[in-house]
Amino acid sequence: MQQTLSIIKPDAVKKGVIGKIIDRFESNGLRVAAAKKIKLSKCDAKAFYAIHSQRPFFNDLVDFMTSGPVVVMVLEGENAVAKNRELMGATNPKEATPGTIRADFADSIDANAVHGSDSLENAKNEIAFFFSSREIC
Ligand code: GDP
């Protein structure tokens, strides 16, 4: 069993597809072990995406992630990290496999519907960034 962090980004929340996205997870063996709808501050977004701080798209990414509420979740299941990445599809929705979340619900590389941890180590850090152990069950 693994846990991974998923974020439904502001574009998908605005579109009203929270339920449709969670259905993709639950229908594919990923259980929602924790969930909350929050609005990230600039400090939150900058800290969460610190690894990208030197990239040219960093300011746009921070602006976008703070443009509206997001839903942060802990997903749990067998190979949860890789399974979530597979269900999400490629970062650029134009390159995402049909039937993936980004192919079906995302508009652009900025507004790409979901975030998912890309390694088990990052998953642990990202989960701890948003949730205390008491919130995960
Ligand atoms: P992810 O793990 O698939 O979300 O991709 P990354 O961790 O590489 O990047 C984090 C987020 O930054 C992505 O989901 C995109 O929203 C954004 N991003 C990544 N690469 C680019 C890029 O080349 N241009 C722009 N505008 N945004 C990008």
Side-chain angles (χ1 to χ4, degrees):
M1 276 299 173
Q2 286 181 356
Q3 290 181 335
T4 190
L5 186 89
S6 168
I7 304 179
I8 302 180
K9 293 187 179 184
D11 57 317
V13 172
K14 271 185 201 122
K15 271 188 200 165
V17 293
I18 295 171
K20 286 183 178 159
I21 290 175
I22 292 177
D23 182 54
R24 300 286 174 100
F25 300 138
E26 293 187 326
S27 302
N28 287 280
L30 293 178
R31 190 178 74 79
V32 179
K36 55 189 169 191
K37 187 180 182 190
I38 56 173
K39 187 153 187 307
L40 300 183
S41 68
K42 297 270 179 201
C43 285
D44 290 333
K46 282 182 186 168
F48 185 77
Y49 280 116
I51 194 160
H52 294 306
S53 62
Q54 300 308 313
R55 308 283 289 275
F57 57 84
F58 182 66
N59 287 338
D60 287 344
L61 178 60
V62 169
D63 285 346
F64 171 66
M65 289 301 290
T66 56
S67 65
V70 298
V71 176
V72 290
M73 290 178 286
V74 177
L75 302 177
E76 186 175 273
E78 228 170 90
N79 291 316
V81 173
K83 169 64 75 179
N84 181 35
R85 297 287 303 185
E86 185 188 317
L87 295 172
M88 287 163 57
T91 307
N92 185 348
K94 291 192 183 84
E95 292 162 10
T97 306
T100 60
I101 292 168
R102 282 169 165 166
D104 292 348
F105 301 118
D107 298 322
S108 67
I109 195 163
D110 305 273
N112 64 0
V114 280
H115 165 84
S117 311
D118 62 3
S119 71
L120 198 51
E121 191 191 348
N122 285 343
K124 289 195 167 78
N125 292 333
E126 292 179 359
I127 288 169
F129 185 86
F130 284 111
F131 294 97
S132 71
S133 56
R134 278 185 55 242
E135 294 176 293
I136 305 168
C137 182

